[in-house]
Amino acid sequence: MSIAEVARLAGVSTATVSRALSGRGHVSAAARERVVAAARELGYVVSQAASSLASGRTRNVGIVLPFLSRWYFTAVLEGAQQRLMRSGYDVTLYNLAGDGGERRTVFEHFLQRQRVDAVIAVSLELTEPEVTSLHALGKPLVGVGGPIPGVRTLAIDDVAVATLATEHLIGLGHSRIGLIGGDVESDADFHLPTKRRQGWEAAMREAGLPIAESRVANADFTVQGGYRAAKQLLGAPLRDRATAIFAASDEMAFGAMLAARDLGLSVPLDVSIVGVDDHDMSDFFGLTTIAQFPGAQGALAVDILMAQLEPKGDDTPPSDTPLPFELRVRSSTSRPRD
Amino acid sequence: MSIAEVARLAGVSTATVSRALSGRGHVSAAARERVVAAARELGYVVSQAASSLASGRTRNVGIVLPFLSRWYFTAVLEGAQQRLMRSGYDVTLYNLAGDGGERRTVFEHFLQRQRVDAVIAVSLELTEPEVTSLHALGKPLVGVGGPIPGVRTLAIDDVAVATLATEHLIGLGHSRIGLIGGDVESDADFHLPTKRRQGWEAAMREAGLPIAESRVANADFTVQGGYRAAKQLLGAPLRDRATAIFAASDEMAFGAMLAARDLGLSVPLDVSIVGVDDHDMSDFFGLTTIAQFPGAQGALAVDILMAQLEPKGDDTPPSDTPLPFELRVRSSTSRPRD
DNA sequence: CTGAAAGCGCTAACAC
DNA sequence: GTGTTAGCGCTTTCAG
């Protein structure tokens, strides 16, 4: 069942069928109807390959991400995927997780195959050659959650987020505020550890509070990592121990809450804890956090691409407003005990 | 840079280039070398669209799954994706999460576009029309983790898994063993709630232990759900209260552990808990569980497809052995207190 | 083992 | 608004 059969059944030319089905070019309402009816009757669906070869458009976008095991990534992916599907686009997943060979292959081969109209890069700190090869594609490219040189990127203001979280704690009366940040390895990929630390420092400085290296412990954005880091922090002598902790992600904050409990400390009475993300489970844990909206970020990335891929006259281009984030106060934070 | 330019530079015909680069058909070593060199020099990469149109092969497989928010799904996806990438295949992700319109669209449109050579369906209980439409594709199809009528499916023996978990508890001396199973909604999609319940019942019956409806609470496979269900179970009067709980997934088991703690009960002294999966975080929580290996399951699904897509003479077809699972005893189970 | 050439199924000028 | 037609860039007979 090729386009020719549909054309025959509908009594029009293949060109008209193509136009009617793709929505490009003008077709009379009558013709369109006959074509659509014929197509349905025959169960006709365009061959992507033929269409792509002829038009240069694939109706497929690539999403590249470092791995799938963090909530943030899958949330972005899910948001982007749903939006793309609604526009009739497929998504090809390029997961960089693995030994590293994957990463080279993706950039050198997979993305070059002209199988995508655009790419979304999630939380990737790309190397120089990687950026080059992406640009060489000549395809629209947008980053989410991580800065890519020379590329439009959607990301919350990580410094401001961290500042807000810290100020929340300061506002409650805390002055010994610890930080569970990201370790160097994570920094290579996301860059946000540094920024979130800066935000914490800024808030502390602003409030005239000391920035003690002993109140900083870094981890890898996992629950386990957060647990270990928190134990470290909370093991300090009482006079010196943090009464509050800002964790750079909710997953690490969960770990910190568990660590506190295991030490017999009450959250929030003995130690207040704030995270970042508003993870699926944060409400369950009663975790105070700074919500960002990864699903919406993914969807927005798609909107931006779509505006370039399928320009519509009256479509206002997605505005360039900073991405929203929002303090959500729950039961993991309170005034310090004293 | 089309194949013609490579041919010119290498001093051969386009046919030879095609053969040399795709590995199909015979080419002299010398010619192959010149072609490869020329291709690299020009930075040539085949156009997928043209190749697909001409050959009917897309080097792309579709992975359909119900959503991304459960660990099991992303683990299968990650395993499958890595294996596919190694074979030079792309993966197109069809995520059914959403209001349900998604689901119809995926089966009626996306999968019909001839963009995939095969599909992997993860934990999907497909409807009759869905199965039909999948078969109509005429493409290899394998299921992972969920039964699809008339389709090769990779899944552990869920009954046996549940029996093993329950027997572990019985072996430790427990007799009042509760079950956190899956609710009806989950059953529609995964079907495994029923089986895991059957396994629990079988072990209980075998040991001559009573199967009390009051010891069963169902949930939705989330941590929150497990928490709620466990509170229900553990709220029973002491003489009647379960001394052990089998949860049908690790995520629910985590919830149960947290619930026990919140009730002031010690795990494992007051209540032992076993899960299923060996989730990323199970080791961290000290959760005794039945490990399955979703990454390996995804990879195996790919092997099966590959055997059909690219038959190699001496390649032994992936054997049809039952999938492995394995009891991992950690610190969430022990003899009952008495 | 290699080359010539006929498509694969669609889209996009270009005429009408 | 609609039809004609020339490709899109590759693979694959079929000869040689």
Side-chain angles (χ1 to χ4, degrees):
Chain A
M1 23 70 268
S2 71
I3 200 171
E5 302 182 35
V6 180
R8 203 174 309 131
L9 181 58
V12 298
S13 72
T14 60
T16 299
V17 174
S18 174
R19 286 191 277 251
L21 261 26
S22 70
R24 321 189 144 247
H26 297 262
V27 182
S28 68
R32 157 170 293 109
E33 227 165 81
R34 296 215 310 284
V35 168
V36 170
R40 194 183 13 246
E41 183 175 336
L42 295 173
Y44 170 80
V45 181
V46 295
S47 152
Q48 268 296 141
S51 172
S52 300
L53 181 56
S55 71
R57 266 173 275 106
T58 65
R59 293 187 83 74
N60 185 42
V61 347
I63 301 189
V64 190
L65 29 72
F67 37 76
L68 294 171
S69 46
R70 268 183 58 197
W71 176 79
Y72 177 81
F73 299 129
T74 57
V76 171
L77 176 57
E78 200 149 344
Q81 207 257 351
Q82 279 175 26
R83 187 73 121 234
L84 281 166
M85 196 156 86
R86 236 185 287 161
S87 304
Y89 276 67
D90 278 326
V91 7
T92 296
L93 178 67
Y94 297 105
N95 178 5
L96 267 26
D99 55 32
E102 278 79 358
R103 184 158 180 150
R104 263 240 325 291
T105 321
V106 165
F107 285 96
E108 291 182 3
H109 292 288
F110 284 82
L111 285 172
Q112 305 294 324
R113 293 203 264 174
Q114 315 200 49
R115 279 174 90 324
V116 298
D117 291 337
V119 357
I120 298 177
V122 184
S123 288
L124 285 174
E125 174 83 354
L126 299 176
T127 65
E128 186 47 55
E130 285 168 353
V131 174
T132 309
S133 91
L134 242 31
H135 277 132
L137 287 179
K139 307 285 183 195
L141 166 62
V142 14
V144 177
I148 304 176
V151 169
R152 167 99 192 253
T153 301
L154 302 177
I156 50 174
D157 180 339
D158 283 300
V159 178
V161 162
T163 301
L164 174 56
T166 310
E167 286 174 343
H168 165 65
L169 296 169
I170 293 170
L172 287 169
H174 293 273
S175 55
R176 298 201 302 273
I177 301 176
L179 168 72
I180 299 182
D183 51 26
V184 198
E185 273 175 38
S186 318
D187 204 48
D189 264 348
F190 321 131
H191 232 253
L192 78 224
T194 306
K195 293 204 196 142
R196 293 197 180 158
R197 180 185 176 128
Q198 287 166 354
W200 168 76
E201 287 181 357
M204 295 296 274
R205 199 173 300 116
E206 172 75 17
L209 297 173
I211 294 170
E213 210 47 54
S214 62
R215 299 245 170 75
V216 177
N218 292 326
D220 57 359
F221 285 88
T222 65
V223 175
Q224 293 92 311
Y227 181 91
R228 251 178 270 119
K231 279 238 165 146
Q232 214 53 38
L233 253 29
L234 296 174
L238 180 55
R239 65 176 179 289
D240 212 51
R241 189 214 289 156
T243 61
I245 292 177
F246 164 54
S249 84
D250 277 4
E251 275 145 314
M252 294 196 292
F254 297 152
M257 291 177 83
L258 295 170
R261 285 211 217 178
D262 282 359
L263 289 168
L265 298 175
S266 147
V267 176
L269 258 29
D270 294 310
V271 55
S272 287
I273 296 175
V274 201
V276 178
D277 272 350
D278 201 20
H279 187 287
D280 255 358
M281 280 177 1
S282 298
D283 189 51
F284 170 70
F285 276 106
L287 177 66
T288 295
T289 189
I290 313 291
Q292 59 174 325
F293 308 90
Q297 291 172 12
L300 180 56
V302 171
D303 289 342
I304 292 170
L305 293 178
M306 284 327 212
Q308 296 178 61
L309 293 176
E310 317 204 325
K312 308 232 174 72
D314 57 340
D315 222 12
T316 44
S319 60
D320 213 0
T321 53
L323 296 186
F325 57 87
E326 188 175 304
L327 174 65
R328 291 241 215 274
V329 181
R330 294 197 268 243
S331 53
S332 70
T333 51
S334 72
R335 293 194 57 99
R337 195 153 226 160
D338 305 343
Chain B
M1 22 73 268
S2 70
I3 201 173
E5 302 183 34
V6 180
R8 202 174 310 130
L9 182 56
V12 297
S13 72
T14 60
T16 299
V17 174
S18 174
R19 287 192 276 252
L21 259 27
S22 69
R24 323 189 143 247
H26 297 261
V27 181
S28 68
R32 158 169 293 109
E33 226 165 83
R34 295 213 312 283
V35 168
V36 169
R40 196 187 8 250
E41 182 174 338
L42 296 172
Y44 170 79
V45 180
V46 294
S47 152
Q48 268 296 143
S51 172
S52 299
L53 182 55
S55 70
R57 268 173 274 104
T58 65
R59 294 186 84 73
N60 184 40
V61 346
I63 300 189
V64 189
L65 29 72
F67 37 76
L68 294 171
S69 47
R70 270 182 55 196
W71 176 79
Y72 178 81
F73 298 128
T74 56
V76 171
L77 176 57
E78 201 149 343
Q81 206 257 350
Q82 279 176 26
R83 187 74 119 236
L84 281 166
M85 196 157 86
R86 238 185 284 158
S87 304
Y89 276 68
D90 277 327
V91 6
T92 296
L93 178 67
Y94 297 105
N95 177 4
L96 266 26
D99 56 31
E102 279 79 357
R103 184 157 180 153
R104 263 240 324 291
T105 321
V106 165
F107 285 95
E108 291 182 4
H109 292 288
F110 283 82
L111 286 171
Q112 306 294 325
R113 293 203 260 173
Q114 314 202 49
R115 280 174 91 322
V116 298
D117 290 337
V119 356
I120 297 178
V122 185
S123 288
L124 285 176
E125 174 83 354
L126 299 176
T127 65
E128 187 46 57
E130 285 168 354
V131 174
T132 310
S133 91
L134 243 30
H135 277 132
L137 287 179
K139 308 285 185 195
L141 166 62
V142 15
V144 178
I148 304 177
V151 170
R152 167 100 192 252
T153 302
L154 302 178
I156 50 174
D157 180 340
D158 283 300
V159 177
V161 162
T163 300
L164 174 56
T166 310
E167 285 174 346
H168 165 65
L169 296 170
I170 293 170
L172 285 170
H174 292 274
S175 55
R176 298 201 302 274
I177 302 174
L179 167 71
I180 299 183
D183 52 26
V184 197
E185 273 176 39
S186 318
D187 203 48
D189 265 349
F190 320 130
H191 233 254
L192 75 222
T194 306
K195 294 204 197 141
R196 293 198 180 157
R197 182 189 174 124
Q198 286 166 354
W200 168 75
E201 288 181 357
M204 295 295 276
R205 199 173 299 118
E206 172 76 16
L209 297 173
I211 295 170
E213 210 47 53
S214 63
R215 298 247 170 73
V216 177
N218 292 325
D220 57 359
F221 286 88
T222 65
V223 175
Q224 293 94 313
Y227 180 89
R228 254 180 266 119
K231 279 237 165 147
Q232 213 54 38
L233 254 28
L234 296 175
L238 180 54
R239 65 176 178 288
D240 210 52
R241 189 214 289 154
T243 60
I245 292 177
F246 163 53
S249 84
D250 277 5
E251 275 146 313
M252 295 196 292
F254 297 153
M257 292 178 82
L258 295 169
R261 284 210 216 178
D262 282 359
L263 290 168
L265 298 174
S266 147
V267 175
L269 258 28
D270 295 309
V271 55
S272 287
I273 296 177
V274 200
V276 178
D277 272 349
D278 202 18
H279 186 287
D280 254 358
M281 278 173 5
S282 297
D283 189 52
F284 170 70
F285 276 106
L287 177 66
T288 294
T289 191
I290 314 291
Q292 58 174 326
F293 308 90
Q297 292 171 13
L300 180 56
V302 172
D303 290 341
I304 291 171
L305 293 177
M306 285 326 220
Q308 296 178 61
L309 293 175
E310 317 204 323
K312 310 235 175 70
D314 56 339
D315 222 12
T316 43
S319 59
D320 213 0
T321 53
L323 296 186
F325 58 87
E326 189 174 303
L327 174 65
R328 291 240 214 275
V329 181
R330 295 198 266 244
S331 52
S332 69
T333 52
S334 72
R335 293 194 57 99
R337 196 153 226 160
D338 305 344

